């Protein structure tokens, strides 16, 4: 369907004030083209008759809308006899002129009346200016085209091909081939000035200093460089030169070692980019009857300018590729650095969740609290957060709060002045100052004394601090990551840990699961540590026996990843065969931190019970242990106080009277 009207959204736009915005439409009904007026203001006419209902169109009908007239035709050639020349030209150039027939789309059916008739040309595939030589039009059509047009087409296709060239050699060879096709020369080359070559127009380089990127000679002699005079002239002036009849010219003329004349005419065109000469194109003819003309000079200069743009683009692509390689190497180094310092290994759903939490926490400045049993790798998670954050270039400082006394811990955190206490012979910057612009990781934060907790909280809140024994106020930009294996909620309830510090640290919490909670990672970790220690010791151990792997997967690993690492290291050192046997594994009999007397029921004495009954007994035992302090019990159970009240009512729990 084709719509006709004044609005630009119509397929046929009639620029006439008497035409409505959507005036009429033409559509195909069966095999018949039909015209319909769309309730236009001034009406639609066919052969002077106004269209009231749908009107069947016939060849030769004149459709009038306002002052515009259109003829409906089927055979365009018959309707416009003078158009036969157009058809012949289109056939010679490989084009297709669509004459309207009922089988074509409606937009091909309408044509104006008289000399302004519309001629629709369809062109499929790539433009002929970019087609290969064997796809060009025949010689008769090509000869009829002007020389300038042919040159423009060649340049267009050359620019397209140069843009696709992957290296300098291919680009130059392509340019030379096109020059030899279009100019009257039989020898030449493309020469570039070395990048590190320093020269000025007053002191141009010698011909021997130029780099011949590619050369070609179709004559009996090999290619010869231009004279120094010609090189200096082109580079100094930055202009193209065409020299003909140069046989007797001693400065421009070219002779071989026997004195035989090599060139009768020469073309030199500078390769210029942003007022800088990068090199030049040197072409010459050795046949007196084959002389290049000014058109050849123009074409050579156009090719030289095109090559200059292509060289700049190639240089930029190479720079981008080099920069990309550099970035990739830096990323690899960062990943290796992160891998060496964090050594986070594991693909279980639990560790995938930890990795996702690290990715979410890393970009922010928020304080992070990492919780987990001893040996699960809390410090490794802290390192991963740091090296994934914008502070990765800053320092990562780690301090174990449980390894120092209260006095030493304060000195390590905030530093001290000379003479602040016995043994303080020099000023010392604390961990906060050392971590300025980076991350401070405090392990075993639950072991910090209440007095240091207060000072530590002030620093977290952004207040300045003083070194021990000093009065100078110090401000630092440090992100704090705390880690603990203690039950901080219980410590808060027992007033062993400050409530306000607890909430200040627990902005973002990452829970690292124990190894027994992610058994899928045991084999992966075991293989990782095996490879690591085999490389360190040089032992020829190829793996584990099936029984050893089975034993490691059954074991509950109370020491978590740290214990697994030590067990594998010992096995690698003491193993006597190519495979680690189950007897090489020294596994302890310790209970895990999550094991209790109620859970560790000997085989054969287990009494099945529902989860509701187990939850009811556990909540009742927790309430009894806290003296029915519901707030404290809710903190221990890690549920809301309102949730605890609902569970007490649900299980009908009652406080037992003391005897």
């Amino acid at each position: 369907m084709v719509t006709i009207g004044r609005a630009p959204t119509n397929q046929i736009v009639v620029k006439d004030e008497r035409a409505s915005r959507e005036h009429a439409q033409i559509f195909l009904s069966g095999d018949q083209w039909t015209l319909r007026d769309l309730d236009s203001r001034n009406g639609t006419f066919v052969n002077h008759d106004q269209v009231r209902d749908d009107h069947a169109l016939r060849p030769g009908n004149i459709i009038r809308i306002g002052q515009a007239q259109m003829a409906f035709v089927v055979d365009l050639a018959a309707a416009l006899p003078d158009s036969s020349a157009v058809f012949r030209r289109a056939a010679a150039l490989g084009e297709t002129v669509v004459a309207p027939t009922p089988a074509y789309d409606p937009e091909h059916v309408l044509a104006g009346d008289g000399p302004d008739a519309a001629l629709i040309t369809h062109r499929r595939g790539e433009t002929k200016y970019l087609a290969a030589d064997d796809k060009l039009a025949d010689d008769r059509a090509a000869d009829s085209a002007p020389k300038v047009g042919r040159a423009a087409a060649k340049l267009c296709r050359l620019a397209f091909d140069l843009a696709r060239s992957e290296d300098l050699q291919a680009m130059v060879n392509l340019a030379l081939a096109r020059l030899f096709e279009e100019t009257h020369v039989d020898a030449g080359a493309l020469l570039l000035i070395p990048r590190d070559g320093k020269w000025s127009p007053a002191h141009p380089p010698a011909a021997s200093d130029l780099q011949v990127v590619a050369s070609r000679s179709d004559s009996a002699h090999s290619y010869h460089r231009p004279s120094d005079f010609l090189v200096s002239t082109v580079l100094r002036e930055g202009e193209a030169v065409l020299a003909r009849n140069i046989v007797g010219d001693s400065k421009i003329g070219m002779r071989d070692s026997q004195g035989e004349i090599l060139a009768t005419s020469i073309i030199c065109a500078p390769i210029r980019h942003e007022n800088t000469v990068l090199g030049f194109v040197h072409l010459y003819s050795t046949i007196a009857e084959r002389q290049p003309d000014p058109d050849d000079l123009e074409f050579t200069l156009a090719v030289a300018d095109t090559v200059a743009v292509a060289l700049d683009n190639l240089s930029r692509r190479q720079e981008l590729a080099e920069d990309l390689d550099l970035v990739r190497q830096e990323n690899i180094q960062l990943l290796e650095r992160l891998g060496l310092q964090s050594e986070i290994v594991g693909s279980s759903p639990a560790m995938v969740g930890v990795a996702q939490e690290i990715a979410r926490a890393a970009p922010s400045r928020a304080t992070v609290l990492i919780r987990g049993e001893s040996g699960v790798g809390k410090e490794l998670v802290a390192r991963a957060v740091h090296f994934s954050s914008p502070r990765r270039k800053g320092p990562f400082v780690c301090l174990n709060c449980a390894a120092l006394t209260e006095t030493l811990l304060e000195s390590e955190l905030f530093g001290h002045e000379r003479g602040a206490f016995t043994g303080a012979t020099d000023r010392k910057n604390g961990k906060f100052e050392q971590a300025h612009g980076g991350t401070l990781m405090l392990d075993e934060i639950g072991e910090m004394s209440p007095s240091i907790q207060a000072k530590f909280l002030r620093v977290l809140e952004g207040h300045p601090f003083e070194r021990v024994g000093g009065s100078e106020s110090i401000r630092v930009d440090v992100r704090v990551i705390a880690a603990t294996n203690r039950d901080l909620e219980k410590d808060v309830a027992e007033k062993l840990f400050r409530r306000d510090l607890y909430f200040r640290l627990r902005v973002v919490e990452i829970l690292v699961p124990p190894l027994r909670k992610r058994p899928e990672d045991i084999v992966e970790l075991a293989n990782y540590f095996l490879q690591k220690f085999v490389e360190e010791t040089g032992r020829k151990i190829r793996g584990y026996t099936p029984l050893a792997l089975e034993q490691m997967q059954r074991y509950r690993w109370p020491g978590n990843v740290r214990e697994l690492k030590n067990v594998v290291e010992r096995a690698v050192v003491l193993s006597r065969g190519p495979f680690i046997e189950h007897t090489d594994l020294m596994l302890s009999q310790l209970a895990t931190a999550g094991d209790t007397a109620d859970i560790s029921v000997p085989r054969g004495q287990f009494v099945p019970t529902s989860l509701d009954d187990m939850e009811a007994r556990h909540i009742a035992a927790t309430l009894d242990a806290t003296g029915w302090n519901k707030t404290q019990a809710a903190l221990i159970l890690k549920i809301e106080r309102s949730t605890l009240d609902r569970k007490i009512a649900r299980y009908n729990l009652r406080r037992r009277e003391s005897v």
Side-chain angles (χ1 to χ4, degrees):
M1 182 179 66
V2 176
T3 60
I4 310 172
R6 182 163 42 87
T9 54
N10 295 286
Q11 283 87 351
I12 299 178
V13 179
V14 178
K15 296 181 180 180
D16 192 316
E17 291 298 328
R18 283 176 290 182
S20 300
R21 292 186 58 82
E22 293 184 356
H23 197 104
Q25 66 181 14
I26 297 175
F27 57 92
L28 184 64
S29 178
D31 295 331
Q32 177 64 54
W33 290 101
T34 304
L35 172 68
R36 174 182 295 169
D37 182 79
L38 299 178
D39 296 326
S40 63
R41 184 175 68 252
N42 296 310
T44 304
F45 297 84
V46 175
N47 296 336
H48 306 292
D49 297 327
Q50 186 172 358
V51 175
R52 302 293 182 183
D53 299 315
D54 290 353
H55 182 86
L57 294 174
R58 297 287 183 268
N61 285 162
I62 302 299
I63 303 170
R64 181 170 60 84
I65 296 176
Q67 293 295 324
Q69 295 188 20
M70 292 164 281
F72 177 77
V73 297
V74 174
D75 187 354
L76 183 61
L80 302 172
D82 294 338
S83 63
S84 57
V86 176
F87 283 90
R88 288 195 298 273
R89 176 182 175 276
L93 296 178
E95 299 172 345
T96 302
V97 177
V98 179
T101 66
Y104 283 96
D105 188 83
E107 65 179 314
H108 299 149
V109 178
L110 295 175
D113 189 13
D116 295 330
L119 180 63
I120 303 172
T121 302
H122 282 223
R123 188 69 174 88
R124 294 180 174 86
E126 67 178 4
T127 170
K128 61 177 176 289
Y129 295 136
L130 300 180
D133 291 338
D134 56 355
K135 294 182 181 180
L136 291 176
D138 56 30
D139 294 338
R140 181 176 58 185
D143 291 340
S144 64
K147 185 176 182 180
V148 175
R150 294 203 313 271
K154 293 281 188 178
L155 286 172
C156 179
R157 198 162 75 242
L158 175 63
F160 186 78
D161 292 337
L162 291 179
R164 294 187 297 183
S165 299
E166 297 294 335
D167 56 77
L168 176 63
Q169 196 65 47
M171 180 189 301
V172 173
N173 289 335
L174 188 63
L176 273 181
R178 191 66 68 225
L179 285 167
F180 273 65
E181 290 176 5
E182 295 300 313
T183 60
H184 300 86
V185 298
D186 52 28
L190 192 148
L191 301 93
L192 293 180
I193 301 173
R195 287 188 176 184
D196 54 353
K198 296 181 179 180
W199 67 280
S200 64
H203 300 88
S208 58
D209 296 332
L210 300 179
Q211 175 190 0
V212 179
V213 182
S215 63
R216 173 176 169 179
S217 176
D218 294 342
S219 66
H221 302 276
S222 60
Y223 168 76
H224 277 65
R225 292 174 180 262
S227 64
D228 290 340
F229 173 79
L230 187 59
V231 171
S232 62
T233 301
V234 174
L235 297 183
R236 183 176 62 253
E237 303 297 335
E239 296 179 353
V241 173
L242 168 61
R244 293 183 287 183
N245 301 319
I246 60 173
V247 175
D249 194 314
S250 59
K251 293 183 178 180
I252 301 178
M254 300 173 57
R255 299 175 181 271
D256 60 12
S257 57
Q258 286 76 33
E260 185 178 351
I261 297 174
L262 294 178
T264 60
S265 301
I266 293 177
I267 293 178
C268 279
I271 300 174
R272 300 166 298 193
H273 181 70
E274 296 181 353
N275 299 323
T276 301
V277 179
L278 307 177
F280 64 87
V281 177
H282 176 224
L283 304 173
Y284 59 88
S285 173
T286 62
I287 305 173
E289 295 78 14
R290 184 179 173 86
Q291 297 286 334
D293 54 29
D295 286 339
D296 293 338
L297 176 64
E298 292 294 333
F299 186 81
T300 304
L301 184 58
V303 170
D305 289 341
T306 305
V307 169
V309 175
L311 286 174
D312 182 65
N313 291 337
L314 181 61
S315 177
R316 291 178 183 272
R317 290 205 305 268
Q318 291 175 345
E319 289 177 1
L320 288 174
E322 292 173 359
D323 291 343
L324 182 60
D325 290 339
L326 181 61
V327 170
R328 286 174 176 170
Q329 291 298 325
E330 290 178 352
N331 288 339
I332 292 173
Q333 292 174 4
L334 287 174
L335 291 173
E336 290 176 349
R337 182 182 179 189
L338 177 60
L340 290 173
Q341 296 191 4
S342 68
E343 297 181 351
I344 295 180
V345 178
S347 55
S348 63
M351 290 309 296
V352 170
V354 171
Q356 293 173 347
E357 292 178 10
I358 291 173
R360 287 194 294 267
S364 70
R365 297 170 55 92
T367 305
V368 180
L369 178 61
I370 303 174
R371 309 183 70 164
E373 297 177 6
S374 178
V376 294
K378 297 186 289 296
E379 181 180 343
L380 308 182
V381 173
R383 289 181 181 273
V385 171
H386 169 73
F387 287 110
S388 301
S389 73
R391 296 173 175 264
R392 66 178 66 89
K393 294 183 179 179
F396 178 81
V397 180
C398 185
L399 177 64
N400 191 332
C401 299
L404 301 171
T405 63
E406 179 178 344
T407 304
L408 289 177
L409 179 58
E410 183 179 10
S411 172
E412 285 294 321
L413 279 176
F414 308 110
H416 62 256
E417 297 288 348
R418 178 179 180 182
F421 50 84
T422 303
T425 57
D426 294 297
R427 170 191 285 184
K428 178 181 178 180
N429 293 335
K431 299 299 184 184
F432 269 108
E433 292 181 78
Q434 297 174 23
H436 179 67
T439 304
L440 174 61
M441 191 266 185
L442 298 177
D443 199 5
E444 304 299 343
I445 190 70
E447 306 297 332
M448 187 180 289
S449 65
S451 61
I452 299 182
Q453 290 178 26
K455 190 173 182 180
F456 176 57
L457 178 61
R458 282 186 56 82
V459 180
L460 284 183
E461 296 291 350
H463 297 285
F465 64 92
E466 298 84 28
R467 301 187 188 96
V468 177
S471 58
E472 178 187 358
S473 295
I474 302 171
R475 288 185 180 272
V476 291
D477 175 22
V478 173
R479 182 183 190 177
V480 173
I481 299 178
T484 184
N485 61 359
R486 292 175 62 96
D487 188 347
L488 289 184
E489 290 81 4
K490 182 178 179 181
D491 290 347
V492 169
E494 296 176 357
K495 302 187 182 306
L496 297 176
F497 198 82
R498 292 180 63 99
R499 179 184 296 269
D500 48 3
L501 178 58
Y502 167 76
F503 288 113
R504 184 63 183 83
L505 290 174
R506 196 171 174 262
V507 177
V508 177
E509 186 178 50
I510 299 177
L511 179 62
V512 185
L515 189 55
R516 64 181 178 278
K517 298 288 187 179
R518 48 187 181 108
E520 306 96 326
D521 295 333
I522 292 177
V523 175
E524 185 177 354
L525 283 164
N527 290 329
Y528 171 79
F529 289 129
L530 175 63
Q531 181 180 0
K532 176 181 178 180
F533 294 125
V534 164
E535 292 176 356
E536 290 181 0
T537 60
R539 297 291 308 276
K540 304 296 184 182
I541 299 177
R542 290 159 29 192
Y544 303 90
T545 63
L547 188 57
L549 289 175
E550 181 182 353
Q551 186 172 357
M552 284 192 292
Q553 289 177 296
R554 285 203 317 263
Y555 185 58
R556 292 183 61 80
W557 298 105
N560 292 295
V561 180
R562 182 186 293 122
E563 181 186 6
L564 174 59
K565 176 183 177 181
N566 295 334
V567 166
V568 174
E569 183 177 13
R570 178 188 179 279
V572 169
V573 173
L574 301 181
S575 177
R576 290 170 291 184
F579 292 92
I580 293 179
E581 303 283 348
H582 69 284
T583 54
D584 298 324
L585 304 176
M586 182 175 288
L587 305 178
S588 71
Q589 301 297 321
L590 296 176
T592 62
D595 289 339
T596 64
D598 293 333
I599 297 176
S600 302
V601 180
R603 184 181 297 274
Q605 299 181 19
F606 174 70
V607 179
T609 183
S610 68
L611 291 176
D612 286 347
D613 291 342
M614 183 175 291
E615 184 180 43
R617 289 200 300 269
H618 183 65
I619 293 175
T622 304
L623 288 168
D624 290 340
T626 59
W628 271 75
N629 185 328
K630 294 182 181 180
T631 301
Q632 185 177 354
L635 287 173
I636 295 174
L637 294 171
K638 296 184 180 181
I639 59 177
E640 298 292 336
R641 168 68 184 270
S642 58
T643 304
L644 178 60
D645 289 335
R646 289 197 301 270
K647 291 183 180 293
I648 291 174
R650 175 185 175 186
Y651 297 129
N652 195 23
L653 301 179
R654 295 290 185 270
R655 183 171 184 172
R656 291 185 296 181
E657 299 294 335
S658 59
V659 180

